[in-house]
Amino acid sequence: MSQLKAIVFDMDDTLYPERDFVLSGFQAVAAWASVNLGINESIGSATLFKLYSEGVRNNTFDRWLTIHGIERTEIVPNLLDIYRQHLPNISPFPEAIDLLKTLDQSYQIGLVSDGYLAVQQRKWAALGLDRFFDAVVFSDSLGRENWKPSTAPFKLVLEQLNISPRLSVYIGDNPHKDFFGARQLGMYTIQFKHSTSEYGNHQPPSPDHYPHLIVDSLAEILGSIYKIESLL
Ligand SMILES: [Mg+2]
């Protein structure tokens, strides 16, 4: 009989590879630009992927327009809108479905996800995992100030599940924001680091930002949960 009652997940880079969302957004931007800016679509998407794989994150579209000889920075907000509003072509990590099916037999399952509400909701719909989840919290619905590492979205999901933090685990990828708020409440935390993880190898900014346990694959999550059970 399990002593833990709830397993709560992050979404981006925990239930699916976030890189796939980025790539599908780039494809949408490249498709728009081929019609409206005359940039060849496959070349356009290839140069976006190249900038991304070189580590460019904040001014990608400015640099991309420059590479294609278009000096029109005023259209960057349009490109960002297309990126954020596109219908994401994303799927859960292959092991995620089996893991959720197994967990569903013994635990309540929740989600706490950061990011712009409409964007996160589109991703959630595309993943098709809602049937496994007993509570879904998008922190943006509580206001920007309540994005992780705020404790507010964790409190809300546990209230909805009606479960004490001490009987719950949060699973996420990002040491900057996934474990601090959850730990402040008394939740257990597990970091999932996969091979294309954006933040997996970042150093936690303080001792309070560390997870309790770290795994490299979703298949190891069950073992970690049992390890936590044995400590209770
Ligand atoms: Mg994440």
Side-chain angles (χ1 to χ4, degrees):
M1 164 110 180
S2 46
Q3 302 189 60
L4 286 171
K5 300 292 178 204
I7 311 297
V8 181
F9 287 86
D10 166 53
M11 177 166 63
D12 297 313
D13 254 354
T14 297
L15 289 172
Y16 81 99
E18 188 168 13
R19 188 172 179 275
D20 290 354
F21 173 79
V22 174
L23 300 188
S24 86
F26 285 169
Q27 257 148 8
V29 168
W32 182 88
S34 75
V35 175
N36 295 283
L37 302 174
I39 298 173
N40 175 284
E41 188 173 337
S42 54
I43 295 174
S45 58
T47 42
L48 280 169
F49 298 164
K50 185 161 182 288
L51 287 168
Y52 184 75
S53 53
E54 286 168 359
V56 176
R57 290 295 181 269
N58 294 319
N59 55 353
T60 307
F61 294 131
D62 293 276
R63 290 182 56 171
W64 182 65
L65 290 172
T66 304
I67 288 168
H68 290 286
I70 296 168
E71 297 299 343
R72 288 176 58 195
T73 48
E74 77 280 4
I75 59 172
V76 169
N78 301 16
L79 301 181
L80 274 170
D81 283 347
I82 292 157
Y83 178 84
R84 290 188 181 137
Q85 290 167 15
H86 86 284
L87 206 59
N89 180 15
I90 54 175
S91 307
F93 282 113
E95 322 89 292
I97 307 277
D98 279 347
L99 175 65
L100 289 167
K101 274 185 190 158
T102 306
L103 293 175
D104 202 20
Q105 294 166 16
S106 311
Y107 307 99
Q108 300 269 91
I109 302 181
L111 183 89
V112 170
S113 173
D114 266 358
Y116 297 108
L117 182 60
V119 177
Q120 298 309 91
Q121 285 172 329
R122 270 192 288 276
K123 292 174 183 170
W124 187 237
L127 291 174
L129 296 174
D130 201 56
R131 67 189 184 281
F132 295 113
F133 283 72
D134 303 290
V136 171
V137 169
F138 297 108
S139 57
D140 202 30
S141 64
L142 303 171
R144 180 67 180 84
E145 69 280 12
N146 288 312
W147 285 21
K148 296 179 286 187
S150 162
T151 54
F154 297 105
K155 266 188 196 153
L156 179 60
V157 80
L158 293 170
E159 261 170 46
Q160 290 183 0
L161 296 169
N162 195 22
I163 281 166
S164 149
R166 300 255 166 226
L167 302 178
S168 72
V169 178
Y170 187 63
I171 301 170
D173 62 292
N174 185 338
H176 296 287
K177 61 180 191 172
D178 282 339
F179 315 118
F180 179 84
R183 291 193 74 146
Q184 294 255 304
L185 288 182
M187 299 174 81
Y188 290 91
T189 54
I190 300 173
Q191 182 181 19
F192 170 40
K193 282 186 190 186
H194 60 89
S195 59
T196 64
S197 176
E198 175 89 11
Y199 301 104
N201 292 318
H202 285 209
Q203 189 64 19
S206 84
D208 293 333
H209 287 75
Y210 275 82
H212 292 87
L213 295 170
I214 299 173
V215 299
D216 300 320
S217 72
L218 281 181
E220 292 169 62
I221 294 271
L222 271 185
S224 303
I225 290 171
Y226 297 147
K227 202 179 277 179
I228 293 169
E229 297 264 12
S230 71
L231 301 172
L232 289 175

